[in-house]
Short mmCIF file of all heavy atoms in Angstrom, two decimals:
data_model
loop_
_atom_site.label_atom_id
_atom_site.label_comp_id
_atom_site.label_asym_id
_atom_site.label_seq_id
_atom_site.Cartn_x
_atom_site.Cartn_y
_atom_site.Cartn_z
N LYS A 344 -101.75 -34.28 -87.05
CA LYS A 344 -102.64 -33.37 -87.77
C LYS A 344 -102.86 -32.02 -87.14
O LYS A 344 -102.89 -31.01 -87.85
CB LYS A 344 -104.09 -34.04 -87.71
CG LYS A 344 -105.13 -33.33 -88.53
CD LYS A 344 -106.30 -34.24 -89.02
CE LYS A 344 -107.08 -33.54 -90.01
NZ LYS A 344 -106.91 -33.97 -91.37
N ALA A 368 -107.99 -29.42 -99.86
CA ALA A 368 -108.19 -29.45 -98.42
C ALA A 368 -108.80 -30.69 -98.07
O ALA A 368 -109.57 -31.30 -98.79
CB ALA A 368 -108.99 -28.24 -97.96
N SER A 369 -108.58 -31.20 -96.82
CA SER A 369 -109.09 -32.45 -96.33
C SER A 369 -110.55 -32.27 -95.95
O SER A 369 -110.90 -31.11 -95.57
CB SER A 369 -108.29 -32.96 -95.15
OG SER A 369 -108.70 -32.30 -93.97
N SER A 370 -111.25 -33.31 -95.99
CA SER A 370 -112.69 -33.23 -95.70
C SER A 370 -112.97 -33.38 -94.25
O SER A 370 -113.72 -34.11 -93.79
CB SER A 370 -113.40 -34.32 -96.49
OG SER A 370 -112.67 -35.50 -96.23
N GLY A 371 -112.18 -32.61 -93.53
CA GLY A 371 -112.37 -32.72 -92.01
C GLY A 371 -113.65 -32.46 -91.50
O GLY A 371 -114.40 -31.54 -92.10
N THR A 377 -107.60 -29.29 -93.25
CA THR A 377 -106.13 -29.27 -93.46
C THR A 377 -105.90 -28.85 -94.92
O THR A 377 -106.39 -29.45 -95.77
CB THR A 377 -105.57 -30.59 -93.19
OG1 THR A 377 -106.06 -31.00 -91.92
CG2 THR A 377 -104.04 -30.56 -93.24
N VAL A 379 -103.54 -28.35 -98.32
CA VAL A 379 -102.35 -28.92 -98.87
C VAL A 379 -102.18 -28.19 -100.26
O VAL A 379 -103.03 -27.74 -100.87
CB VAL A 379 -102.42 -30.38 -99.11
CG1 VAL A 379 -102.57 -31.05 -97.69
CG2 VAL A 379 -103.60 -30.83 -99.88
N TRP A 389 -98.35 -36.76 -109.12
CA TRP A 389 -99.57 -37.31 -108.60
C TRP A 389 -100.34 -38.02 -109.87
O TRP A 389 -100.92 -39.09 -109.65
CB TRP A 389 -100.38 -36.15 -108.05
CG TRP A 389 -101.59 -36.59 -107.38
CD1 TRP A 389 -102.03 -37.77 -106.87
CD2 TRP A 389 -102.76 -35.65 -107.03
NE1 TRP A 389 -103.27 -37.81 -106.23
CE2 TRP A 389 -103.69 -36.48 -106.38
CE3 TRP A 389 -103.01 -34.35 -107.28
CZ2 TRP A 389 -104.93 -35.90 -105.86
CZ3 TRP A 389 -104.14 -33.78 -106.72
CH2 TRP A 389 -105.12 -34.54 -106.15
N MET A 393 -101.54 -41.83 -110.00
CA MET A 393 -102.93 -42.16 -110.37
C MET A 393 -103.04 -42.99 -111.61
O MET A 393 -103.95 -43.87 -111.81
CB MET A 393 -103.85 -40.92 -110.37
CG MET A 393 -104.04 -40.33 -108.99
SD MET A 393 -104.65 -41.51 -107.77
CE MET A 393 -106.21 -42.03 -108.50
N ASN A 410 -116.03 -41.13 -113.44
CA ASN A 410 -115.36 -40.68 -112.19
C ASN A 410 -116.48 -39.87 -111.27
O ASN A 410 -116.70 -38.70 -111.49
CB ASN A 410 -114.21 -39.75 -112.46
CG ASN A 410 -113.46 -39.32 -111.26
OD1 ASN A 410 -113.56 -40.10 -110.27
ND2 ASN A 410 -112.73 -38.34 -111.32
N TYR A 412 -116.18 -39.56 -108.03
CA TYR A 412 -115.63 -38.88 -106.79
C TYR A 412 -115.83 -37.38 -106.88
O TYR A 412 -115.91 -36.90 -108.07
CB TYR A 412 -114.09 -39.13 -106.72
CG TYR A 412 -113.70 -40.51 -106.19
CD1 TYR A 412 -113.17 -41.46 -107.08
CD2 TYR A 412 -113.78 -40.90 -104.90
CE1 TYR A 412 -112.77 -42.73 -106.72
CE2 TYR A 412 -113.47 -42.12 -104.46
CZ TYR A 412 -112.95 -43.00 -105.30
OH TYR A 412 -112.62 -44.30 -104.87
N GLY A 413 -116.07 -36.76 -105.71
CA GLY A 413 -116.40 -35.26 -105.80
C GLY A 413 -115.25 -34.50 -106.38
O GLY A 413 -114.08 -34.65 -105.94
N LEU A 416 -112.47 -29.06 -103.53
CA LEU A 416 -111.34 -29.10 -102.60
C LEU A 416 -110.91 -30.64 -102.26
O LEU A 416 -109.75 -30.86 -101.99
CB LEU A 416 -111.77 -28.41 -101.34
CG LEU A 416 -111.62 -26.92 -101.32
CD1 LEU A 416 -112.05 -26.31 -100.07
CD2 LEU A 416 -110.23 -26.44 -101.79
N PHE A 417 -111.92 -31.58 -102.26
CA PHE A 417 -111.60 -32.90 -102.08
C PHE A 417 -110.68 -33.43 -103.20
O PHE A 417 -110.86 -33.12 -104.37
CB PHE A 417 -112.91 -33.67 -101.98
CG PHE A 417 -112.83 -35.19 -101.86
CD1 PHE A 417 -112.05 -35.75 -100.88
CD2 PHE A 417 -113.41 -36.00 -102.85
CE1 PHE A 417 -112.01 -37.19 -100.74
CE2 PHE A 417 -113.38 -37.43 -102.71
CZ PHE A 417 -112.64 -37.96 -101.65
N THR A 418 -109.61 -34.21 -102.77
CA THR A 418 -108.65 -34.69 -103.70
C THR A 418 -109.13 -35.82 -104.69
O THR A 418 -108.50 -36.06 -105.71
CB THR A 418 -107.51 -35.20 -102.94
OG1 THR A 418 -107.99 -36.20 -101.98
CG2 THR A 418 -106.73 -34.10 -102.28
N GLY A 419 -110.31 -36.50 -104.30
CA GLY A 419 -110.71 -37.63 -105.05
C GLY A 419 -110.97 -37.33 -106.65
O GLY A 419 -110.38 -37.97 -107.45
N GLY A 420 -111.91 -36.38 -106.80
CA GLY A 420 -112.34 -36.09 -108.29
C GLY A 420 -111.11 -35.79 -109.06
O GLY A 420 -110.92 -36.44 -110.09
N GLY A 422 -107.90 -35.83 -108.50
CA GLY A 422 -106.82 -36.84 -108.52
C GLY A 422 -107.06 -37.90 -109.59
O GLY A 422 -106.21 -38.23 -110.45
N PHE A 423 -108.30 -38.52 -109.60
CA PHE A 423 -108.57 -39.53 -110.61
C PHE A 423 -108.58 -38.94 -111.93
O PHE A 423 -108.11 -39.59 -113.06
CB PHE A 423 -109.95 -40.18 -110.31
CG PHE A 423 -109.89 -41.30 -109.33
CD1 PHE A 423 -109.91 -41.32 -108.09
CD2 PHE A 423 -109.62 -42.68 -109.89
CE1 PHE A 423 -109.72 -42.41 -107.20
CE2 PHE A 423 -109.45 -43.79 -109.10
CZ PHE A 423 -109.55 -43.60 -107.66
N CYS A 459 -115.56 -44.23 -107.37
CA CYS A 459 -116.30 -43.51 -106.42
C CYS A 459 -116.18 -44.10 -105.06
O CYS A 459 -115.49 -45.16 -105.02
CB CYS A 459 -117.86 -43.45 -106.81
SG CYS A 459 -118.67 -45.00 -106.90
N THR A 460 -116.77 -43.54 -104.01
CA THR A 460 -116.71 -44.23 -102.74
C THR A 460 -117.55 -45.54 -102.79
O THR A 460 -118.57 -45.59 -103.63
CB THR A 460 -117.28 -43.40 -101.61
OG1 THR A 460 -118.58 -43.07 -101.87
CG2 THR A 460 -116.47 -42.09 -101.44
N PRO A 461 -117.16 -46.54 -101.99
CA PRO A 461 -117.95 -47.85 -102.08
C PRO A 461 -119.45 -47.59 -101.75
O PRO A 461 -120.38 -48.18 -102.26
CB PRO A 461 -117.25 -48.72 -101.18
CG PRO A 461 -116.32 -47.85 -100.36
CD PRO A 461 -115.97 -46.65 -101.05
N ILE A 487 -112.83 -48.80 -108.74
CA ILE A 487 -111.85 -48.50 -107.71
C ILE A 487 -112.41 -47.64 -106.70
O ILE A 487 -112.75 -46.49 -106.95
CB ILE A 487 -110.53 -47.90 -108.39
CG1 ILE A 487 -110.12 -48.67 -109.61
CG2 ILE A 487 -109.44 -47.65 -107.45
CD1 ILE A 487 -108.95 -48.20 -110.39
N PHE A 488 -112.62 -48.32 -105.52
CA PHE A 488 -113.42 -47.70 -104.50
C PHE A 488 -112.60 -47.42 -103.26
O PHE A 488 -111.88 -48.28 -102.75
CB PHE A 488 -114.53 -48.62 -104.12
CG PHE A 488 -115.36 -48.95 -105.39
CD1 PHE A 488 -115.50 -50.37 -105.80
CD2 PHE A 488 -116.08 -48.09 -106.08
CE1 PHE A 488 -116.22 -50.68 -106.78
CE2 PHE A 488 -116.89 -48.36 -107.13
CZ PHE A 488 -116.94 -49.72 -107.57
N GLY A 489 -112.76 -46.28 -102.63
CA GLY A 489 -112.07 -45.89 -101.41
C GLY A 489 -112.46 -44.66 -100.88
O GLY A 489 -113.54 -44.16 -101.08
N ALA A 490 -111.59 -44.00 -100.05
CA ALA A 490 -111.83 -42.80 -99.34
C ALA A 490 -112.64 -42.92 -98.02
O ALA A 490 -112.93 -42.01 -97.35
CB ALA A 490 -112.55 -41.67 -100.24
N GLU A 491 -113.15 -44.17 -97.78
CA GLU A 491 -113.86 -44.41 -96.55
C GLU A 491 -113.59 -45.98 -96.21
O GLU A 491 -113.34 -46.71 -97.13
CB GLU A 491 -115.32 -44.10 -96.70
CG GLU A 491 -116.02 -45.03 -97.74
CD GLU A 491 -117.44 -44.74 -98.00
OE1 GLU A 491 -117.89 -43.70 -97.38
OE2 GLU A 491 -118.04 -45.50 -98.65
N PRO A 492 -113.72 -46.36 -95.00
CA PRO A 492 -113.54 -47.80 -94.64
C PRO A 492 -114.67 -48.60 -95.15
O PRO A 492 -115.79 -48.22 -95.29
CB PRO A 492 -113.61 -47.76 -93.00
CG PRO A 492 -113.71 -46.35 -92.67
CD PRO A 492 -114.00 -45.53 -93.81
N TRP A 493 -114.25 -49.78 -95.65
CA TRP A 493 -115.28 -50.82 -96.07
C TRP A 493 -114.79 -52.20 -95.78
O TRP A 493 -113.52 -52.40 -95.48
CB TRP A 493 -115.75 -50.53 -97.53
CG TRP A 493 -114.65 -50.57 -98.57
CD1 TRP A 493 -113.50 -49.72 -98.55
CD2 TRP A 493 -114.72 -51.18 -99.74
NE1 TRP A 493 -112.91 -49.93 -99.64
CE2 TRP A 493 -113.48 -50.77 -100.51
CE3 TRP A 493 -115.56 -52.03 -100.53
CZ2 TRP A 493 -113.16 -51.27 -101.82
CZ3 TRP A 493 -115.20 -52.48 -101.75
CH2 TRP A 493 -114.09 -52.08 -102.40
N MET A 510 -111.93 -52.98 -106.46
CA MET A 510 -110.60 -52.75 -105.81
C MET A 510 -110.60 -51.66 -104.81
O MET A 510 -111.31 -50.73 -104.90
CB MET A 510 -109.53 -52.37 -106.91
CG MET A 510 -108.75 -53.51 -107.56
SD MET A 510 -109.76 -54.73 -108.36
CE MET A 510 -110.36 -53.77 -109.69
N ASP A 511 -109.82 -51.77 -103.72
CA ASP A 511 -109.73 -50.83 -102.69
C ASP A 511 -108.60 -49.91 -102.94
O ASP A 511 -107.48 -50.33 -103.37
CB ASP A 511 -109.33 -51.65 -101.33
CG ASP A 511 -109.58 -50.78 -100.19
OD1 ASP A 511 -110.01 -49.65 -100.28
OD2 ASP A 511 -109.29 -51.28 -99.04
N ILE A 512 -108.85 -48.61 -102.84
CA ILE A 512 -107.78 -47.65 -102.92
C ILE A 512 -107.73 -46.68 -101.77
O ILE A 512 -108.77 -46.39 -101.13
CB ILE A 512 -108.01 -46.65 -104.27
CG1 ILE A 512 -107.12 -45.50 -104.17
CG2 ILE A 512 -109.48 -46.17 -104.27
CD1 ILE A 512 -107.04 -44.63 -105.37
N TYR A 513 -106.45 -46.42 -101.33
CA TYR A 513 -106.30 -45.68 -100.01
C TYR A 513 -105.47 -44.41 -100.32
O TYR A 513 -104.52 -44.50 -101.21
CB TYR A 513 -105.58 -46.56 -99.03
CG TYR A 513 -105.04 -45.85 -97.81
CD1 TYR A 513 -106.00 -45.58 -96.76
CD2 TYR A 513 -103.77 -45.34 -97.78
CE1 TYR A 513 -105.50 -44.90 -95.69
CE2 TYR A 513 -103.43 -44.71 -96.70
CZ TYR A 513 -104.20 -44.47 -95.63
OH TYR A 513 -103.71 -43.73 -94.43
N GLY A 514 -105.77 -43.46 -99.69
CA GLY A 514 -104.87 -42.20 -99.79
C GLY A 514 -105.48 -41.18 -98.81
O GLY A 514 -106.53 -41.34 -98.21
N LEU A 515 -104.65 -40.03 -98.62
CA LEU A 515 -105.10 -39.04 -97.76
C LEU A 515 -104.53 -37.64 -98.30
O LEU A 515 -103.42 -37.70 -98.75
CB LEU A 515 -104.87 -39.30 -96.26
CG LEU A 515 -103.47 -39.50 -95.68
CD1 LEU A 515 -103.52 -39.38 -94.29
CD2 LEU A 515 -102.93 -40.89 -96.08
N SER A 516 -105.26 -36.58 -98.08
CA SER A 516 -104.87 -35.31 -98.62
C SER A 516 -103.48 -34.97 -98.14
O SER A 516 -102.60 -34.54 -98.94
CB SER A 516 -105.79 -34.24 -98.13
OG SER A 516 -107.04 -34.66 -98.06
N GLU A 517 -103.19 -35.21 -96.85
CA GLU A 517 -101.84 -34.77 -96.29
C GLU A 517 -100.72 -35.43 -97.01
O GLU A 517 -99.59 -34.87 -96.99
CB GLU A 517 -101.93 -35.09 -94.76
CG GLU A 517 -102.86 -34.44 -93.92
CD GLU A 517 -104.26 -35.09 -93.79
OE1 GLU A 517 -104.46 -35.86 -94.72
OE2 GLU A 517 -104.99 -34.88 -92.83
N ILE A 518 -100.89 -36.61 -97.60
CA ILE A 518 -99.82 -37.36 -98.24
C ILE A 518 -99.77 -36.98 -99.78
O ILE A 518 -98.77 -36.63 -100.24
CB ILE A 518 -99.93 -38.82 -97.97
CG1 ILE A 518 -99.90 -39.12 -96.51
CG2 ILE A 518 -98.76 -39.60 -98.68
CD1 ILE A 518 -98.73 -38.59 -95.76
N ILE A 519 -100.86 -37.05 -100.41
CA ILE A 519 -101.00 -36.54 -101.71
C ILE A 519 -102.41 -36.47 -102.20
O ILE A 519 -102.86 -35.77 -103.16
CB ILE A 519 -100.17 -37.41 -102.78
CG1 ILE A 519 -99.83 -36.62 -104.08
CG2 ILE A 519 -100.73 -38.73 -103.13
CD1 ILE A 519 -98.67 -37.10 -104.84
N GLY A 520 -103.33 -37.35 -101.57
CA GLY A 520 -104.70 -37.50 -102.01
C GLY A 520 -104.70 -39.06 -102.36
O GLY A 520 -103.94 -39.87 -101.83
N PRO A 521 -105.63 -39.44 -103.25
CA PRO A 521 -105.59 -40.86 -103.68
C PRO A 521 -104.27 -40.98 -104.51
O PRO A 521 -103.74 -40.09 -104.90
CB PRO A 521 -106.83 -40.93 -104.72
CG PRO A 521 -107.03 -39.55 -105.16
CD PRO A 521 -106.66 -38.64 -103.95
N GLY A 522 -103.90 -42.38 -104.49
CA GLY A 522 -102.64 -42.61 -105.13
C GLY A 522 -101.48 -42.97 -104.27
O GLY A 522 -100.22 -43.05 -104.59
N VAL A 523 -101.86 -43.16 -103.01
CA VAL A 523 -100.80 -43.70 -101.97
C VAL A 523 -100.71 -45.25 -102.18
O VAL A 523 -99.58 -45.78 -102.31
CB VAL A 523 -101.12 -43.33 -100.60
CG1 VAL A 523 -100.22 -43.97 -99.56
CG2 VAL A 523 -101.26 -41.85 -100.50
N SER A 524 -101.81 -45.87 -102.23
CA SER A 524 -101.82 -47.33 -102.43
C SER A 524 -103.07 -47.88 -103.04
O SER A 524 -104.14 -47.21 -102.91
CB SER A 524 -101.55 -48.07 -101.12
OG SER A 524 -102.70 -47.85 -100.29
N LEU A 534 -103.07 -53.61 -100.55
CA LEU A 534 -102.94 -52.55 -101.38
C LEU A 534 -101.40 -52.20 -101.56
O LEU A 534 -100.67 -51.98 -100.46
CB LEU A 534 -103.63 -51.22 -100.76
CG LEU A 534 -105.23 -51.39 -100.59
CD1 LEU A 534 -105.56 -52.11 -99.29
CD2 LEU A 534 -105.70 -49.92 -100.58
N TYR A 577 -95.86 -38.60 -90.94
CA TYR A 577 -97.21 -38.11 -90.65
C TYR A 577 -98.05 -39.30 -89.96
O TYR A 577 -98.23 -40.33 -90.48
CB TYR A 577 -97.95 -37.69 -91.92
CG TYR A 577 -99.29 -37.11 -91.51
CD1 TYR A 577 -99.32 -35.93 -90.90
CD2 TYR A 577 -100.49 -37.70 -92.07
CE1 TYR A 577 -100.62 -35.40 -90.48
CE2 TYR A 577 -101.64 -37.18 -91.77
CZ TYR A 577 -101.78 -36.10 -90.95
OH TYR A 577 -102.98 -35.55 -90.67
N ARG A 578 -98.59 -38.94 -88.76
CA ARG A 578 -99.45 -39.98 -88.07
C ARG A 578 -100.89 -39.97 -88.73
O ARG A 578 -101.67 -39.03 -88.47
CB ARG A 578 -99.62 -39.49 -86.56
CG ARG A 578 -98.26 -39.44 -85.83
CD ARG A 578 -97.94 -40.83 -85.24
NE ARG A 578 -99.05 -41.46 -84.57
CZ ARG A 578 -99.20 -41.48 -83.26
NH1 ARG A 578 -98.22 -41.08 -82.54
NH2 ARG A 578 -100.27 -42.06 -82.58
N THR A 579 -101.16 -40.97 -89.41
CA THR A 579 -102.50 -40.94 -90.20
C THR A 579 -103.69 -41.25 -89.35
O THR A 579 -104.80 -41.01 -89.69
CB THR A 579 -102.46 -42.09 -91.21
OG1 THR A 579 -102.39 -43.34 -90.65
CG2 THR A 579 -101.34 -41.89 -92.34
N ARG A 580 -103.46 -42.00 -88.17
CA ARG A 580 -104.50 -42.57 -87.29
C ARG A 580 -105.25 -43.71 -87.93
O ARG A 580 -106.13 -44.26 -87.40
CB ARG A 580 -105.52 -41.51 -86.93
CG ARG A 580 -104.98 -40.25 -86.22
CD ARG A 580 -104.82 -40.62 -84.73
NE ARG A 580 -104.01 -39.65 -84.11
CZ ARG A 580 -103.40 -39.83 -82.97
NH1 ARG A 580 -103.35 -40.95 -82.38
NH2 ARG A 580 -102.67 -38.78 -82.36
N ASP A 581 -104.82 -44.07 -89.13
CA ASP A 581 -105.42 -45.22 -89.84
C ASP A 581 -104.69 -46.56 -89.30
O ASP A 581 -103.50 -46.59 -89.26
CB ASP A 581 -105.31 -45.17 -91.23
CG ASP A 581 -106.28 -43.90 -91.83
OD1 ASP A 581 -107.40 -43.83 -91.30
OD2 ASP A 581 -105.75 -43.26 -92.73
N ILE A 582 -105.55 -47.65 -88.95
CA ILE A 582 -105.00 -48.79 -88.54
C ILE A 582 -104.81 -49.88 -89.70
O ILE A 582 -105.83 -50.03 -90.31
CB ILE A 582 -105.88 -49.48 -87.38
CG1 ILE A 582 -106.15 -48.40 -86.28
CG2 ILE A 582 -105.24 -50.68 -86.87
CD1 ILE A 582 -104.98 -48.09 -85.51
N MET A 599 -100.23 -52.95 -98.00
CA MET A 599 -100.90 -52.74 -96.70
C MET A 599 -102.21 -53.48 -96.72
O MET A 599 -102.83 -53.58 -97.81
CB MET A 599 -101.11 -51.24 -96.44
CG MET A 599 -101.76 -50.49 -97.50
SD MET A 599 -102.03 -48.75 -97.06
CE MET A 599 -103.69 -48.65 -96.42
N GLY A 600 -102.56 -53.98 -95.61
CA GLY A 600 -103.95 -54.62 -95.47
C GLY A 600 -105.00 -53.53 -95.48
O GLY A 600 -104.81 -52.36 -95.29
N ARG A 601 -106.17 -53.95 -95.84
CA ARG A 601 -107.35 -53.05 -95.83
C ARG A 601 -107.38 -52.34 -94.51
O ARG A 601 -107.00 -52.83 -93.39
CB ARG A 601 -108.64 -53.94 -95.81
CG ARG A 601 -109.95 -53.35 -95.86
CD ARG A 601 -111.02 -54.31 -95.89
NE ARG A 601 -111.28 -54.96 -97.15
CZ ARG A 601 -111.90 -54.39 -98.12
NH1 ARG A 601 -112.24 -53.07 -98.08
NH2 ARG A 601 -112.16 -54.93 -99.25
N VAL A 602 -107.72 -50.99 -94.52
CA VAL A 602 -107.72 -50.20 -93.31
C VAL A 602 -108.78 -50.71 -92.41
O VAL A 602 -109.94 -50.88 -92.80
CB VAL A 602 -107.87 -48.69 -93.64
CG1 VAL A 602 -108.19 -47.85 -92.36
CG2 VAL A 602 -106.69 -48.14 -94.41
N GLN A 603 -108.38 -51.09 -91.13
CA GLN A 603 -109.33 -51.69 -90.26
C GLN A 603 -110.22 -50.66 -89.49
O GLN A 603 -111.20 -50.83 -88.86
CB GLN A 603 -108.64 -52.52 -89.20
CG GLN A 603 -108.01 -53.72 -89.87
CD GLN A 603 -106.93 -54.35 -88.95
OE1 GLN A 603 -106.83 -54.14 -87.68
NE2 GLN A 603 -106.07 -55.23 -89.53
N GLY A 604 -109.70 -49.43 -89.53
CA GLY A 604 -110.43 -48.33 -88.79
C GLY A 604 -109.50 -47.21 -88.43
O GLY A 604 -108.34 -47.34 -88.91
N ARG A 605 -109.93 -46.18 -87.77
CA ARG A 605 -109.08 -45.17 -87.35
C ARG A 605 -108.83 -45.24 -85.85
O ARG A 605 -109.82 -45.54 -85.12
CB ARG A 605 -109.66 -43.82 -87.70
CG ARG A 605 -109.63 -43.60 -89.25
CD ARG A 605 -110.32 -42.23 -89.51
NE ARG A 605 -109.62 -41.08 -88.81
CZ ARG A 605 -108.54 -40.51 -89.27
NH1 ARG A 605 -107.91 -40.91 -90.33
NH2 ARG A 605 -107.88 -39.61 -88.53
N ASP A 607 -108.82 -42.89 -84.00
CA ASP A 607 -109.76 -42.03 -83.30
C ASP A 607 -111.26 -42.22 -83.72
O ASP A 607 -112.10 -41.57 -83.20
CB ASP A 607 -109.39 -40.56 -83.64
CG ASP A 607 -109.21 -40.30 -85.02
OD1 ASP A 607 -109.46 -41.17 -85.85
OD2 ASP A 607 -108.79 -39.13 -85.43
N ASP A 608 -111.46 -43.32 -84.42
CA ASP A 608 -112.92 -43.71 -84.69
C ASP A 608 -113.22 -44.95 -83.98
O ASP A 608 -114.39 -45.44 -83.95
CB ASP A 608 -112.84 -44.37 -86.09
CG ASP A 608 -113.60 -43.64 -87.16
OD1 ASP A 608 -113.82 -42.45 -87.08
OD2 ASP A 608 -113.99 -44.35 -88.05
N LYS A 702 -118.45 -39.63 -98.66
CA LYS A 702 -118.14 -40.49 -97.65
C LYS A 702 -119.37 -40.78 -96.77
O LYS A 702 -120.02 -39.79 -96.30
CB LYS A 702 -117.01 -39.90 -96.68
CG LYS A 702 -115.69 -39.60 -97.49
CD LYS A 702 -114.61 -39.11 -96.66
CE LYS A 702 -113.37 -38.72 -97.43
NZ LYS A 702 -112.10 -39.28 -97.04
O1 DLL B 984 -110.08 -39.61 -98.95
C1 DLL B 984 -108.31 -39.37 -100.50
C2 DLL B 984 -108.85 -40.45 -101.36
C3 DLL B 984 -109.74 -40.09 -102.46
C4 DLL B 984 -108.68 -41.81 -101.21
C5 DLL B 984 -110.34 -41.05 -103.20
C6 DLL B 984 -109.20 -42.78 -102.03
C7 DLL B 984 -110.00 -42.34 -103.08
P1 DLL B 984 -109.05 -37.42 -97.25
O2 DLL B 984 -110.36 -36.73 -97.49
O3 DLL B 984 -107.99 -36.57 -96.72
O4 DLL B 984 -108.46 -38.10 -98.57
O5 DLL B 984 -109.37 -38.67 -96.15
C8 DLL B 984 -108.34 -39.48 -95.86
O6 DLL B 984 -109.91 -41.33 -95.41
O7 DLL B 984 -106.93 -41.04 -93.53
C9 DLL B 984 -108.70 -42.68 -94.11
O8 DLL B 984 -109.10 -42.53 -92.75
C10 DLL B 984 -109.84 -42.61 -94.99
N1 DLL B 984 -109.66 -43.57 -96.13
C11 DLL B 984 -109.19 -43.21 -97.41
N2 DLL B 984 -109.18 -44.30 -98.17
C12 DLL B 984 -109.56 -45.32 -97.40
C13 DLL B 984 -109.79 -46.74 -97.60
C14 DLL B 984 -109.05 -39.08 -99.21
N3 DLL B 984 -109.57 -47.30 -98.84
C15 DLL B 984 -108.87 -40.50 -94.88
N4 DLL B 984 -110.16 -47.43 -96.54
C16 DLL B 984 -107.80 -41.49 -94.48
C17 DLL B 984 -110.48 -46.87 -95.45
C18 DLL B 984 -109.87 -44.87 -96.15
N5 DLL B 984 -110.21 -45.66 -95.11
#
Side-chain angles (χ1 to χ4, degrees):
K344 188 158 189 106
S369 80
S370 45
T377 308
V379 299
W389 190 19
M393 286 309 294
N410 185 21
Y412 282 107
L416 279 179
F417 176 54
T418 51
F423 270 91
C459 61
T460 59
I487 307 181
F488 305 116
E491 65 183 9
W493 54 311
M510 265 63 64
D511 192 5
I512 168 170
Y513 170 85
L515 59 166
S516 327
E517 293 87 338
I518 302 304
I519 200 158
V523 176
S524 67
L534 297 84
Y577 184 66
R578 297 273 313 254
T579 65
R580 298 282 169 204
D581 294 319
I582 306 293
M599 58 181 260
R601 184 184 278 293
V602 170
Q603 295 164 16
R605 293 178 54 81
D607 50 5
D608 244 27
K702 301 190 187 225

